[in-house]
Amino acid sequence: MLLNIVRLRYADPPTFLDTTQVIAGYSVSKSVSGGFYAYPATAVGNYLFGTGTMSMGESPTFTYQPVTGQQYAENVVRPISPTVIMPLSLGGLPIDTLLRLTAQSIDGLSNVRGLGAGPFGGGSVRFYLLLHDLRQLQVAGAMTIRITTDPVTPTDSKKNGGKSDSNGGGPGPERSYLVLTSTSESNLLAIQAEVRRLLHLDPTAEEAEIVYGPYPKHPGQIAILTRSMLAMLTQLAYEVEVPEGDIKAGRTPPTIGQVGIENRPEVVIHSSKEEPDGPYAAVSYHNAWFWISDRDFQSKLAFTMVQVLAALAATNHTGGAVVTIPAG
């Protein structure tokens, strides 16, 4: 994952592999030998002797399947649905980090877009103010995500071109809602009011449906334009710390700066000529080392979230070439 981020920074194609099989191989060998010497051939203390040895080995086999074709389109290029992303915040993952990684825009408020949008990527300060407010509400328990499966109604059937399930009705698609829970604390009430204002919600709204898109189609909705895995990794690549010589030589463009209240990337990736000592993750690329510090908890958490999102995005698995690499 880290290597793909660095490759994208240098405009090199990334490689995506699915681990389809892991075979653990173990080997154990033992040997024992012994004997005796008859008197008077040797000293009395050496009448008997013996030796023994034991060795153990492990040689696991990993089977990888390259992600190509339709599988690549589904798992890497297609945006991840907000319905898949938002429930992750219910498990305690910071909602601001989650949305900084996955959301390109929320109700028209833009996240950093990339190198073509200027030195700061065209991001909106109000986008980060919204994430800051949502995180405060999440920590205080004044906000949550509600997941529901509403029954299919005749109206929904017409919207879907007259299609319905075999029972003439039943559970519809999974939907997620942002819920602003009741609170009596004035500071939390003020933050909830600011969130409603930024999201263009009714001042008394207690929840709003989360939908995919740049703008909501109906009142009471929150539109999130989500990123694909490829777009997510590309955005992280724009923020990688790279050697100054590579920028001057034209091998890679300058690093994107931070917007507004943000003072650091979600995943801080350092670079150096020497191999780092005890990093969380490190790769060698073009005579330089790129690494994440083991002492940077925020970067480690965000990088772990990227890997979780990659697993959630893998909705399509098809047959293909299989590479088996024995290790050990």
Side-chain angles (χ1 to χ4, degrees):
M1 186 69 72
L2 179 58
L3 181 58
N4 276 336
I5 293 173
V6 176
R7 281 174 170 170
L8 287 167
R9 177 57 188 265
Y10 286 86
D12 290 335
T15 301
F16 296 92
L17 300 173
D18 271 346
T19 305
T20 60
Q21 191 176 35
V22 178
I23 301 176
Y26 299 91
S27 62
V28 179
S29 63
K30 301 178 182 179
S31 65
V32 177
S33 63
F36 70 94
Y37 293 108
Y39 180 80
T42 185
V44 176
N46 293 333
Y47 281 169
L48 300 176
F49 71 92
T51 61
T53 61
M54 184 179 70
S55 62
M56 298 181 63
E58 181 182 358
S59 55
T61 299
F62 297 88
T63 302
Y64 296 101
Q65 177 174 302
V67 179
T68 58
Q70 182 64 24
Q71 185 184 9
Y72 191 94
E74 292 282 349
N75 299 357
V76 180
V77 179
R78 176 172 293 182
I80 307 173
S81 170
T83 306
V84 174
I85 293 170
M86 297 307 292
L88 293 176
S89 64
L90 295 175
L93 294 179
I95 193 169
D96 54 341
T97 301
L98 183 63
L99 290 175
R100 274 196 70 183
L101 289 171
T102 61
Q104 188 57 63
S105 68
I106 302 177
D107 268 20
L109 303 178
S110 177
N111 195 358
V112 173
R113 291 185 177 274
L115 296 174
F120 296 100
S124 168
V125 174
R126 290 189 297 167
F127 177 88
Y128 301 100
L129 291 174
L130 172 63
L131 300 194
H132 180 263
D133 290 343
L134 289 176
R135 177 55 178 165
Q136 287 186 292
L137 295 177
Q138 182 188 29
V139 171
M143 181 224 72
T144 188
I145 302 296
R146 181 170 69 89
I147 309 298
T148 183
T149 304
D150 297 328
V152 176
T153 65
T155 303
D156 295 328
S157 179
K158 290 180 181 179
K159 290 180 180 180
N160 295 328
K163 297 179 180 179
S164 61
D165 61 19
S166 58
N167 297 323
E174 191 175 79
R175 297 174 180 176
S176 57
Y177 294 81
L178 175 71
V179 180
L180 300 176
T181 56
S182 300
T183 180
S184 58
E185 297 185 28
S186 58
N187 61 322
L188 295 178
L189 290 172
I191 296 174
Q192 287 182 342
E194 179 67 8
V195 168
R196 293 186 182 97
R197 186 186 69 81
L198 290 172
L199 295 175
H200 308 99
L201 299 175
D202 187 274
T204 60
E206 296 182 353
E207 67 175 35
E209 183 181 5
I210 299 171
V211 298
Y212 174 82
Y215 296 98
K217 294 182 179 180
H218 306 286
Q221 291 183 335
I222 301 172
I224 301 181
L225 187 63
T226 51
R227 291 170 171 166
S228 64
M229 278 307 305
L230 183 60
M232 197 183 312
L233 297 181
T234 301
Q235 187 57 54
L236 292 175
Y238 293 151
E239 300 173 349
V240 173
E241 173 191 303
V242 296
E244 189 65 27
D246 288 351
I247 297 175
K248 292 180 179 179
R251 295 183 57 215
T252 186
T255 302
I256 286 182
Q258 300 305 302
V259 177
I261 63 175
E262 299 300 327
N263 55 16
R264 50 164 287 162
E266 281 305 304
V267 181
V268 178
I269 301 175
H270 305 277
S271 65
S272 61
K273 289 296 183 182
E274 296 77 24
E275 182 177 358
D277 182 23
Y280 173 70
V283 294
S284 176
Y285 191 76
H286 285 181
N287 300 319
W289 282 92
F290 296 86
W291 49 280
I292 300 172
S293 172
D294 191 46
R295 299 182 179 181
D296 185 352
F297 178 80
Q298 182 174 334
S299 291
K300 294 195 296 182
L301 176 61
F303 192 69
T304 297
M305 291 171 66
V306 171
Q307 297 177 76
V308 171
L309 289 164
L312 292 175
T315 58
N316 184 287
H317 297 274
T318 59
V322 175
V323 180
T324 302
I325 304 175

